[in-house]
Amino acid sequence: MLDSLAIAIGMVHIAAAIALLNGVTTTFGQAKIAAQAIESIARQPEAADSIRTAMFIGLALAETSGIYGLLIAIIMLFANPLVGTLVKLIESTL
Amino acid sequence: MDLNIDNLLVIKIAGVEIWITETIFNTWLIMLLLVALAVVARIKLRRFKEVPTGFQNVIEAAVELFDNFAVDTLGEKLSYIAPWFFMVFSFILSSAWLSIFGMRAPTADWVTTFALALATFILMIFMGFKHRRGNYLQSLFEPHPIFFPLNLIGELAKPVSLSFRLFGNMLSGTIILTLYYALTPRFVQFGIPALLHGFFDILIGSLQTYIFVIVSLMYIKSAAE
């Protein structure tokens, strides 16, 4: 009854979900950057413009790891080159 | 809107197949609009007045705003490369705004963003050699020659991370909007998507354009100084 392609696709979806879990840490880092920036602006309102620029650059750099996770998930779901190999592997073990 | 990048036409030149995809079509559309705008601005430039009004005001404000931004980021000495980044800025911004009209943004294809990031990378190396000569090459071997492989990987990762950041943001907006249009009934597809377009295309698009340009400028500044 077990369909090897269904098992392979299910495994791929679980792997994509795990790859997206790094959004948790990315969001935490971005929250920390924003909190610190707001704190600095509250302490020194005349430097708000330069602090805002630095905050946006910091947010963008921290976002990179989240974007990598998203791209890995998208590649695994839509353009996975290894599904054929995985199906063959599962068929040989079943 | 579709998740795939459709292939519109295949042209064969001397046995080599050239695929005209949706990305290329939309890129040329944006290029056409920007070139037309530039030509109109150039023709109107002859009749520019001392005190600007209307169209002249918009053009002067855009150029002046970007010039000040480039001088603030790069410094007076390096700011002569600002025109190239003004072009990159207007191209990425208008390609993000293209998806408001239901067309696929060219920057939601890795090919476009990698081409732009590769141009930044080549410009970075060129500016490094132009302004620092041997010192630029030597900076790869610091603090000790044993760090050369690490420094090389760090340099080569710059265009990749720059292109992936823009591509990932644009693609995630495209995917969410495609899912919304595909999964909801017809009667909620009027009005409500305007909010999603406003957030993903205008807000995120403008922010990512700004970040792409400012990170490129900072790479160039760190290479040239």
Side-chain angles (χ1 to χ4, degrees), chain A:
Chain A
M1 276 300 281
L2 281 172
D3 188 356
S4 50
L5 184 64
I7 297 174
I9 288 176
M11 284 166 75
V12 163
H13 276 77
I14 293 169
I18 293 171
L20 279 177
L21 275 182
N22 77 359
V24 176
T25 49
T26 306
T27 314
F28 187 73
Q30 285 191 319
K32 201 158 186 177
I33 292 169
Q36 290 284 345
I38 289 168
E39 208 171 284
S40 327
I41 290 176
R43 192 173 297 157
Q44 222 177 349
E46 61 271 20
D49 282 340
S50 55
I51 291 172
R52 199 176 297 123
T53 311
M55 182 189 81
F56 277 128
I57 296 168
L59 285 178
L61 293 179
E63 200 182 20
T64 311
S65 70
I67 293 293
Y68 286 166
L70 174 74
L71 287 177
I72 289 169
I74 287 169
I75 287 169
M76 265 195 276
L77 290 180
F78 295 114
N80 199 330
L82 298 174
V83 164
T85 322
L86 201 60
V87 168
K88 258 182 233 158
L89 206 70
I90 294 168
E91 265 172 2
S92 67
T93 50
L94 281 179

Side-chain angles (χ1 to χ4, degrees), chain B residues 15-196:
Chain B
V16 181
E17 281 187 356
I18 298 174
W19 287 24
I20 306 295
T21 57
E22 212 179 340
T23 306
I24 295 178
F25 181 79
N26 290 354
T27 309
W28 280 82
L29 192 71
I30 290 169
M31 276 161 61
L32 200 72
L33 290 174
L34 290 179
V35 167
L37 189 67
V39 167
V40 169
R42 185 69 191 86
I43 290 169
K44 289 238 178 175
L45 192 66
R46 289 193 200 126
R47 295 194 281 106
F48 268 16
K49 296 183 276 292
E50 196 70 31
V51 182
T53 48
F55 182 70
Q56 183 191 352
N57 219 345
V58 174
I59 299 286
E60 278 190 10
V63 172
E64 213 171 288
L65 205 69
F66 195 82
D67 260 355
N68 288 339
F69 165 66
V71 170
D72 281 349
T73 322
L74 282 173
E76 199 71 56
K77 204 182 78 180
L78 294 171
S79 65
Y80 62 89
I81 53 165
W84 162 259
F85 281 104
F86 185 65
M87 189 280 286
V88 171
F89 192 92
S90 44
F91 176 74
I92 300 175
L93 195 64
S94 45
S95 78
W97 288 359
L98 191 71
S99 67
I100 299 170
F101 303 105
M103 300 172 82
R104 196 190 164 86
T107 38
D109 188 348
W110 187 56
V111 179
T112 313
T113 57
F114 187 68
L116 291 171
L118 200 65
T120 297
F121 183 62
I122 291 168
L123 197 61
M124 185 183 88
I125 294 173
F126 177 77
M127 294 288 282
F129 276 113
K130 191 180 170 192
H131 285 273
R132 281 167 65 196
R133 319 259 167 203
N135 279 344
Y136 177 60
L137 211 59
Q138 207 191 349
S139 72
L140 286 177
F141 293 93
E142 277 169 359
H144 190 269
I146 211 164
F147 284 98
F148 174 67
L150 279 176
N151 286 336
L152 192 67
I153 291 169
E155 292 293 308
L156 289 178
K158 278 177 180 176
V160 177
S161 78
L162 197 61
S163 60
F164 271 161
R165 189 177 302 129
L166 183 59
F167 167 62
N169 277 290
M170 290 296 140
L171 187 70
S172 60
T174 307
I175 286 175
I176 289 171
L177 282 165
T178 310
L179 288 179
Y180 183 81
Y181 282 123
L183 295 180
T184 51
R186 188 54 54 97
F187 64 90
V188 290
Q189 291 188 0
F190 298 101
I192 298 167
L195 295 172
L196 292 172

